[in-house]
């Protein structure tokens, strides 16, 4: 999916996957070796993110419930 910051008119990602169930949220990005430009993971719902065991750095954006 594409993720756009509509307030600023900025494309955040054009190849973003959604982790909506318990299994996909638990796995997250652990099976990835990195992300290409435009790739990302939208974790729904999400109150915290951990990077234990990750092999690459990530940027994290938290949104309000109303996005």
């Amino acid at each position: 999916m594409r993720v756009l910051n509509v307030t600023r008119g900025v494309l955040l990602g054009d190849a973003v996957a959604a982790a909506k169930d318990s299994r996909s949220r638990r796995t997250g990005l652990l099976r990835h070796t990195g992300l290409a430009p435009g790739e990302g993971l939208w974790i729904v719902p999400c109150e915290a993110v951990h990077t234990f065991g990750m092999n690459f750095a990530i940027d994290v954006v938290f949104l309000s419930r109303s996005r």
Side-chain angles (χ1 to χ4, degrees):
M1 81 175 113
R2 294 180 56 164
V3 178
L4 178 69
N5 178 329
V6 293
T7 304
R8 298 181 184 209
V10 175
L11 179 65
L12 300 176
D14 58 2
V16 177
K20 295 181 179 180
D21 61 28
S22 178
R23 183 178 182 188
S24 61
R25 287 192 304 269
R26 204 171 37 250
T27 303
L29 296 173
L30 290 176
R31 295 186 180 169
H32 292 74
T33 57
L35 292 173
E39 287 185 327
L41 182 65
W42 189 313
I43 305 170
V44 181
C46 179
E47 294 181 5
V49 173
H50 73 79
T51 57
F52 181 78
M54 301 246 340
N55 296 319
F56 58 97
I58 61 171
D59 293 324
V60 177
V61 177
F62 286 95
L63 303 175
S64 68
R65 291 187 192 273
S66 63
R67 297 188 186 153

